[in-house]
Amino acid sequence: LRSLPADISLAPARLELRSAGACGALELPPGLSLAPASCRGLRSLPGGALHLRLRLREAPGGAELVYNLRESLKPQKNCIFYCQSCGDVIVKERKFLRVLPLPSENWSALVEEWCCHPNPFAKSTLHPQRDDCFLGDTFFLLNSENESHKSKENTRVFCKRCKTMLGETISSDTIKYYVTEVIIQPSEESFSTIPRSQFVQSMVAQCLMELSSAKSTFRFTIKGDDGKIYILIWLLNSDTLLVESLGSSSSHNVFTLFEDTFLPNSGAVGTWNAVKVLYQPCIKSRNKELADAWEDDFGVHPLKFPSETCLELLLILGLSTTSLPPSLQCMNSFQVRSSCY
């Protein structure tokens, strides 16, 4: 807003703002419409921000997931594992007889609480057999019996082409791959590229949604494979619909959520399902006391990713926050962000 007063006009598919001779407009994509009569809470805030509330109508059939690991990884289905960053084949065609979810990381401690005799699984480890795939919160385990890069325990696994860290070896015959580094596709389909920032935030958002639904937990620590906490995340909403538009402005200095997919232009850019989160960075000892408190809190769930991916995620979070109006960037000392899936 250059100055007040301002004129706001609403139509089912358009919002237009006029102030001091300047005009900005928001065109909604097909399938979305506004309810003009629902407009309320109109107020002006410092910094030229204008807030109002509107009811949004959405046509049946929302946007599909960018990529769904559980849909791609099914029993009795031939699939190929690719490096998400460069597309190199990591695991040649495989068909799994079983695809099973792993229990939570503290499952052994829970067994001790419920058993009236010594834990019979105390010395047991859950390793997949030749035709098994085990799914964890942020990773999956494969038997590496037929893989050429079998190596010693607790060593990193890298992509041979781009040298991206993909996972680590758990034992001489088990490899752990992180869900943010590998993409799985049916063997009859060719590899299709998904932009890196789009893929990372989609996979992290899916992890947050699944865990919050299954375990009723809404606070998470994002840890690197080096054991350090990089980000604290508090999930607010998992049913957000994000409509991103550059309006009719001639300026191209705008960060779009999927900046590596779309080019700035006039009108609406796109619509995505999203999760809304609060977050705090923890690099360089920032928020150390809060991070320590969260780490000792049983209500906080840890999520582990490669350290490089944690830094990527932190950059994505920061860029998204700065794209918001100043009045919407913070809440109770936390920064606000929407991650699409």
Side-chain angles (χ1 to χ4, degrees), residues 8 11 22 31 73 77 105 123 135 145 164 188 231 274 276 285 320 324 335:
I8 300 175
L73 196 55
K77 184 178 179 181
E105 292 185 4
K123 296 183 180 180
L135 293 176
E145 180 180 352
T164 296
E188 64 271 14
I231 315 170
K276 192 173 184 180
S285 299
S320 176
L324 295 173
Q335 298 179 70

Side-chain angles (χ1 to χ4, degrees), residues 123-292:
K123 296 183 180 180
S124 301
T125 54
L126 297 177
H127 287 177
Q129 300 302 309
R130 178 177 178 178
D131 296 317
D132 292 342
C133 178
F134 291 171
L135 293 176
D137 294 338
T138 63
F139 61 89
F140 49 90
L141 301 180
L142 299 183
N143 186 285
S144 60
E145 180 180 352
N146 297 328
E147 302 305 320
S148 58
H149 51 251
K150 191 163 88 172
S151 57
K152 296 180 180 178
E153 186 176 349
N154 297 326
T155 59
R156 288 183 162 196
V157 176
F158 294 90
C159 172
K160 295 179 180 178
R161 180 192 290 175
C162 68
K163 308 306 179 184
T164 296
M165 189 265 201
L166 305 173
E168 56 190 280
T169 58
I170 302 301
S171 67
S172 60
D173 60 355
T174 302
I175 295 181
K176 172 167 71 175
Y177 290 104
Y178 289 102
V179 298
T180 52
E181 314 308 317
V182 176
I183 189 166
I184 304 167
Q185 292 188 332
S187 57
E188 64 271 14
E189 297 180 9
S190 58
F191 175 75
S192 57
T193 303
I194 300 176
R196 180 64 181 163
S197 65
Q198 184 177 353
F199 185 80
V200 168
Q201 63 181 308
S202 174
M203 294 309 301
V204 173
Q206 289 178 55
C207 289
L208 298 181
M209 288 194 306
E210 290 177 3
L211 288 168
S212 65
S213 176
K215 301 183 179 181
S216 297
T217 182
F218 305 97
R219 291 183 296 161
F220 304 88
T221 56
I222 305 297
K223 285 187 172 183
D225 59 289
D226 55 5
K228 297 179 181 178
I229 296 179
Y230 284 76
I231 315 170
L232 307 178
I233 289 184
W234 197 325
L235 178 63
L236 289 183
N237 304 101
S238 58
D239 58 353
T240 297
L241 181 68
L242 182 65
V243 182
E244 188 174 58
S245 173
L246 301 179
S248 56
S249 170
S250 60
S251 172
H252 285 186
N253 275 330
V254 181
F255 168 77
T256 63
L257 189 67
F258 294 151
E259 81 290 352
D260 44 12
T261 309
F262 300 102
L263 295 177
N265 52 31
S266 60
V269 174
T271 307
W272 300 275
N273 294 316
V275 296
K276 192 173 184 180
V277 301
L278 304 179
Y279 72 96
Q280 289 276 25
C282 296
I283 58 174
K284 297 181 179 179
S285 299
R286 293 181 61 183
N287 301 302
K288 187 178 185 306
E289 292 185 4
L290 183 60
D292 291 341

Side-chain angles (χ1 to χ4, degrees), residues 106-128:
N106 60 342
W107 70 274
S108 184
L110 293 176
V111 170
E112 292 180 353
E113 293 292 330
W114 284 94
C115 285
C116 59
H117 49 79
N119 183 357
F121 308 107
K123 296 183 180 180
S124 301
T125 54
L126 297 177
H127 287 177

